[in-house]
């Protein structure tokens, strides 16, 4: 197999990226829709988005890495407009959960939701660069621990998080 053989099936590198990214973002969008359709509170939905993100990353490792590494290029390429729209939907899912949590008093109102979104997004997606799952510590364990760290920093004072310390 030679790399130029790919261009028999794809007219450009952007077309290859689009194919990979659309599959990844479509899967991610479906997982997010499932999480948001469960109608849990903001904490449950945030935990669901973290778990869905890491689950999707585990099945689309290369796409997640391409997205993380080339997000600026993707955002500025006219050829990749469908990906930009899908990425906006992903962002909207997170922002709606974060904003609903602030509105309900579950999440802190003194920290901008856009900042929390960017910190969550980058810390979750960048795991693709360093995380190697094992039998002892898999993606679900990583998601649970990320939620403990995020929620303890973003939940409003007085909100009970003792359930995070319970083992299933």
């Amino acid at each position: 197999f030679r790399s130029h053989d790919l261009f028999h099936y794809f007219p450009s590198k952007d077309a290859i990226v689009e194919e990979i990214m659309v599959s990844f973002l479509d899967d991610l969008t479906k997982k997010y829709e499932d999480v948001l359709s469960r109608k849990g509170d903001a904490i449950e939905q945030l935990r669901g988005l973290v778990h869905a993100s890491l689950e999707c990353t585990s099945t689309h490792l290369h796409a997640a890495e391409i997205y993380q590494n080339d997000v600026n290029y993707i955002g500025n390429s006219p050829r990749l407009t469908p990906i930009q729209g899908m990425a906006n939907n992903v962002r909207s899912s997170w922002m709606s959960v974060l904003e609903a949590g602030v509105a309900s008093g579950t999440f802190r109102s003194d920290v901008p939701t856009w900042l929390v979104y960017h910190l969550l997004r980058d810390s979750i997606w960048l795991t693709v660069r360093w995380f190697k799952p094992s039998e002892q510590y898999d993606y679900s364990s990583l998601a649970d621990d990320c939620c403990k760290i995020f929620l303890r920093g973003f939940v409003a004072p007085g909100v009970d998080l003792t359930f995070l310390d319970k083992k299933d």
Side-chain angles (χ1 to χ4, degrees):
F1 179 79
R2 295 179 306 271
S3 62
H4 68 274
D5 290 341
L6 277 175
F7 293 107
H8 176 74
Y9 301 100
F10 297 97
S12 67
K13 289 180 187 176
D14 281 355
I16 296 168
V17 169
E18 181 180 15
E19 182 73 24
I20 293 167
M21 295 309 302
V22 165
S23 174
F24 165 60
L25 290 170
D26 187 49
D27 189 23
L28 188 62
T29 299
K30 288 175 184 169
K31 290 182 186 320
Y32 284 3
E33 287 171 354
D34 180 54
V35 167
L36 298 178
S37 72
R38 292 186 211 142
K39 303 290 185 206
D41 65 16
I43 291 174
E44 292 172 71
Q45 288 189 330
L46 183 68
R47 291 181 79 218
L49 292 177
V50 171
H51 275 269
S53 297
L54 288 170
E55 180 184 328
C56 197
T57 296
S58 73
T59 57
H60 298 273
L61 284 173
H62 299 297
E65 191 165 10
I66 290 168
Y67 186 70
Q68 193 62 38
N69 291 339
D70 298 319
V71 69
N72 290 333
Y73 174 75
I74 291 168
N76 294 317
S77 174
R79 168 81 172 116
L80 300 175
T81 301
I83 295 171
Q84 297 161 12
M86 295 174 88
N88 287 337
N89 290 339
V90 167
R91 181 186 185 282
S92 293
S93 296
W94 283 93
M95 291 301 293
S96 68
V97 169
L98 295 172
E99 290 167 356
V102 169
S104 71
T106 302
F107 296 151
R108 296 168 51 166
S109 62
D110 62 329
V111 179
T113 53
W114 62 263
L115 175 62
V116 175
Y117 163 71
H118 284 283
L119 290 171
L120 289 169
R121 181 199 66 194
D122 288 351
S123 60
I124 290 167
W125 297 121
L126 286 172
T127 61
V128 73
R129 294 184 181 169
W130 57 265
F131 182 68
K132 303 293 183 239
S134 67
E135 286 184 29
Q136 297 79 23
Y137 198 83
D138 59 8
Y139 279 98
S140 182
S141 299
L142 176 64
D144 287 340
D145 285 344
C146 286
C147 288
K148 288 177 189 176
I149 293 166
F150 300 147
L151 289 169
R152 286 198 171 101
F154 190 51
V155 167
V159 174
D160 180 29
L161 292 176
T162 56
F163 69 92
L164 289 174
D165 295 321
K166 295 178 184 169
K167 295 288 183 189
D168 292 333

